[in-house]
């Protein structure tokens, strides 16, 4: 894979043999985010689990203290009073059968997060095959299947992120924008890592956090010392 001149220059600032302490590492990540747009800062955590086994799944959600810097669009599947609660809380789209039909017939995905009341899951299940692969299927573990739709919408808008181990046993999650600066990014990173550590499955043996890399959208990855969390 070929990289541009800026990427190569930024990579030279990083000691690839070193595992950086969080603050020093984040300073580097921010300084190497030199694109013309406000780059997203993402964490990649390799875990000592085997995601093929149900008892070693790592999944949950956490509200980052400084949010993600992204205007998240929320779709809520709800009826009557719950639909009104969702709208009052700031949901971008609210509906039931008609929203399912819109997704089915128009291939519409103008939202980032999907929330549903438990009684609507039978309806939402009809589009599970298209929502699932995109990571949009509501799930009780992430707090997106709930009767308290107002709380769910408020938290998502405030910066709630979902983390989930993938097939390669890695969790990928954004922790903000380069413009946040080191202090806010460090608080967000610490909050996320605390949640991932608490979510350690009982069946996981040996080293749980195997590696931790942080990068900006266009910048090189920086290795962090996972023992600092």
């Amino acid at each position: 894979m070929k990289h541009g001149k800026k990427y190569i220059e930024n990579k030279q600032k990083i000691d690839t043999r070193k595992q950086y302490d969080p603050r020093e590492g984040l300073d580097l990540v921010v300084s190497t985010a030199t694109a013309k747009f406000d780059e997203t800062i993402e964490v990649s955590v390799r875990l000592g689990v085997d995601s093929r086994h149900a008892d070693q799944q790592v999944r949950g959600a956490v509200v980052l203290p400084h949010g993600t810097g992204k205007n998240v669009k929320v779709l809520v599947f709800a009826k009557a009073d719950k639909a009104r609660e969702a709208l009052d809380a700031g949901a971008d789209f609210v509906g039931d059968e008609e929203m399912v039909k819109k997704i089915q017939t128009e291939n519409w995905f103008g939202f980032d997060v999907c929330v549903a009341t438990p009684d609507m899951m039978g309806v939402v299940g009809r589009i599970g095959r298209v929502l699932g692969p995109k990571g949009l299927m509501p799930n009780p573990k992430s707090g997106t299947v709930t009767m308290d739709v107002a709380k769910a919408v408020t938290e998502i808008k405030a910066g709630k992120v979902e983390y989930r181990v993938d097939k390669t046993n890695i969790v990928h999650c954004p922790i903000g924008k380069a413009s946040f600066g080191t202090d806010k990014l460090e608080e967000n990173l610490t909050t996320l890592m605390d949640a991932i550590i608490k979510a350690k499955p009982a069946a996981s043996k040996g080293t749980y956090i195997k590696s931790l890399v942080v990068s900006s959208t266009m910048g090189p990855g920086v290795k962090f010392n996972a023992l600092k969390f």
Side-chain angles (χ1 to χ4, degrees), residues 206-225:
T207 304
Y208 179 52
I209 308 291
K210 289 201 164 185
S211 67
L212 171 59
V213 176
V214 183
S215 61
S216 60
T217 306
M218 304 297 288
V222 178
K223 295 177 186 175
F224 280 48
N225 184 353

Side-chain angles (χ1 to χ4, degrees), residues 70-86:
K70 181 181 178 181
N71 180 23
V72 181
K73 293 195 178 297
V74 184
L75 164 63
V76 178
F77 286 97
K79 292 182 177 180
D81 291 346
K82 291 300 172 183
R84 284 190 287 274
E85 285 178 25

